[in-house]
Each structure stands twice: as structure tokens, then as C-alpha cells.
Amino acid sequence: MENKFSMQIDAKLSNESFIRTTVANFALPLNPTVSEVNDIKTAISEAITNSIVHGYQNKGGTIFLLCEIKEDTLYVEIKDNGVGIKDIAKAREPFFTTKKDEERSGMGFTLMETFMDSLDVKNNAEGGLTVKLSKRIVG
Amino acid sequence: MEIKYVTKNNALIAKLYGDLDEYSAEYVRMSLDKILSDMSFVGGASLILDFSHVTFMDSTGIGVLIGRYKKYEKKQVEIKISSPPAQVDRIMKMAGIYRLMPLV
């Protein structure tokens, strides 16, 4: 099957639950298991938190979300116009954080990588960050 | 997220209800820090975090837990974890949380 939706939404912490639940619900026609639904929710939550807290430094902005289903795979693109990431390779290392004083675990990208099949992180030419995730739903 | 506290024997049980994410993290931090300063924990006391009603947790929760571990350790109060759902348990294991806060 093929399906897609996109939305732009304020980079507010109060929107986190809505965004992760919406993406997980979008994948429901693929009949994911409870575990797969949780994987999607967790990965999306990590990416959105990164946009709000790191990208926009908690000062607000807009998150652009694009979700697509192609055959049995969910593709998600999360884009922001925030500060981007200076050293993406370093940021993807487990337990790495630039905000040690704020009780950050530094596990965000590790969880995205673990719970999804693919993770691609790129700084945008015009500024900000794009995170692309995909997961094949086995069911 | 909501936290309800009950005492049992020499332990204080904090029952967490709802999602533990970046949005609710500050409330959880403040609530658990306040109870630490309000309660007079006697020697060998412990705090049990009951996760049975937690509907979601991401890595923000791990940061919150490690932060509380450091504060409670200073007052010699042990934190234990109880009844984490499968999704939460998986993240706890990945972060090695049970080495700091045993599962009961």
C-alpha cells in the first residue's frame, strides 16, 4: 500500500505526545505489533525532543513532518530550522550530550537507531536539521 | 503525568501515572526532589518508583532517573524500580539503569 501525510507544527513540548501518537496511528494500517508501535513512538519522540530542545533551544519554531508508507515500510522525515548539529558523528555516539548540566542521557540517536531500521541525520544547507527514519513493519 | 505517594514498611512508594517525556520531566523532577527534602528518610530507607501505570517513556526519563539517583544517593536513600512495562524496561536495560536502581 501507499499513503502519505505531512504537517507542520509548533516546536512545543506539549505537542510531543500528539506527534508521536499521530505517526504511530498512521502506521496502523500496516498492522504493527504493540512493540513496533512503541518503537515508532519512542523514535519519533526522540527526534522531536531533539528539534525542540537542541534545534530550537526551547525558544520555539516550526517542525515539518513528512510521513510515507510504501508497501510495508514507514518512512518519516522530521525537519527543523534550528541550529543544526556541529558534529553529527559525535552526536550519534551513545551517551554523548552537549547539555550535561540538564540531566540529558545522550541516548536520543541511539534509541532512534535501535528502534528503527534506518536513521539518516543531515544539516540542511539553509540551516536546521533533517532526520530521516524508516521502519519495515513485520507485524 | 501524575505521581501519587504511599508509604509501606520502611519504603516510600511513588506511583507514576502517564507519559514520562520531555513535557512531563520537569514535574517529575520537582515532585521527586520535593519529597526528598520534605520526608525525613531514616537509615536504610528507600524510594520505590512504581512504573506499572507509565504509558510511555523515552530517553528523557533516563536523564530524570540518573539525576534523581545522584540527589538521593547524597542522602543515602536507595531508589528501586518496580513493574516497568516492556517498552520502559527495554530502555532501562539499554541505559543500564538497573545497575544503579535495582528492579524489585
Side-chain angles (χ1 to χ4, degrees):
Chain A
M1 70 171 290
E2 288 198 12
N3 198 10
K4 69 176 152 189
F5 90 93
S6 61
M7 69 172 174
Q8 59 184 71
I9 188 165
D10 285 354
K12 290 180 178 169
L13 293 176
S14 54
N15 285 334
E16 277 203 357
S17 175
F18 170 75
I19 298 169
R20 65 175 173 256
T21 306
T22 300
V23 175
N25 285 348
F26 179 69
L28 287 183
L30 296 176
N31 297 315
T33 62
V34 172
S35 177
E36 287 171 328
V37 168
N38 285 331
D39 289 352
I40 294 166
K41 279 187 182 177
T42 307
I44 299 303
S45 198
E46 298 297 343
I48 298 298
T49 300
N50 184 66
S51 273
I52 298 172
V53 175
H54 181 84
Y56 288 121
Q57 306 279 306
N58 278 317
K59 291 173 187 158
T62 305
I63 292 172
F64 302 87
L65 186 76
L66 176 66
C67 294
E68 205 163 357
I69 290 173
K70 282 183 193 164
E71 295 179 0
D72 56 359
T73 302
L74 171 73
Y75 298 87
V76 184
E77 185 182 299
I78 295 156
K79 187 177 160 232
D80 65 53
N81 296 324
V83 299
I85 294 178
K86 214 172 179 181
D87 187 341
I88 290 175
K90 193 88 187 156
R92 290 180 66 159
E93 287 176 9
F95 305 112
F96 175 80
T97 176
T98 54
K99 297 177 185 288
K100 276 183 183 154
D101 299 339
E102 294 179 20
E103 297 184 355
R104 304 265 152 221
S105 70
M107 289 180 67
F109 284 117
T110 305
L111 293 192
M112 288 183 232
E113 209 159 7
T114 306
F115 293 162
M116 303 296 273
D117 292 338
S118 73
L119 165 67
D120 181 57
V121 187
K122 278 196 178 103
N123 285 308
N124 307 323
E126 68 277 21
L129 194 78
T130 298
V131 172
K132 289 182 182 177
L133 301 155
S134 76
K135 187 175 183 68
R136 182 174 165 256
I137 304 301
V138 180
Chain B
M1 169 61 69
E2 190 186 355
I3 304 179
K4 291 178 183 169
Y5 295 95
V6 292
T7 52
K8 198 175 177 184
N9 301 325
N10 197 23
L12 176 69
I13 302 170
K15 296 184 175 186
L16 286 73
Y17 293 82
D19 290 0
L20 175 44
D21 60 5
E22 190 64 31
Y23 182 54
S24 63
E26 194 50 33
Y27 163 74
V28 177
R29 282 189 195 102
M30 282 171 59
S31 178
L32 292 175
D33 289 352
K34 186 172 187 306
I35 204 83
L36 179 64
S37 62
D38 287 355
M39 292 280 292
S40 51
F41 286 96
V42 292
S46 59
L47 170 76
I48 297 173
L49 297 177
D50 181 350
F51 274 81
S52 57
H53 299 285
V54 172
T55 42
F56 175 83
M57 187 183 88
D58 60 17
S59 72
T60 299
I62 297 299
V64 170
L65 288 175
I66 293 172
R68 303 294 72 64
Y69 170 79
K70 289 176 181 168
K71 292 197 172 184
Y72 275 69
E73 194 194 25
K74 277 183 191 160
K75 292 201 173 183
Q76 295 175 320
V77 180
E78 188 182 22
I79 300 179
K80 297 171 183 173
I81 306 283
S82 164
S83 314
Q87 184 256 345
V88 176
D89 181 58
R90 200 170 161 206
I91 295 173
M92 297 265 198
K93 281 177 179 156
M94 282 177 66
I97 282 292
Y98 299 138
R99 289 199 294 267
L100 303 174
M101 306 174 186
L103 189 62
V104 292

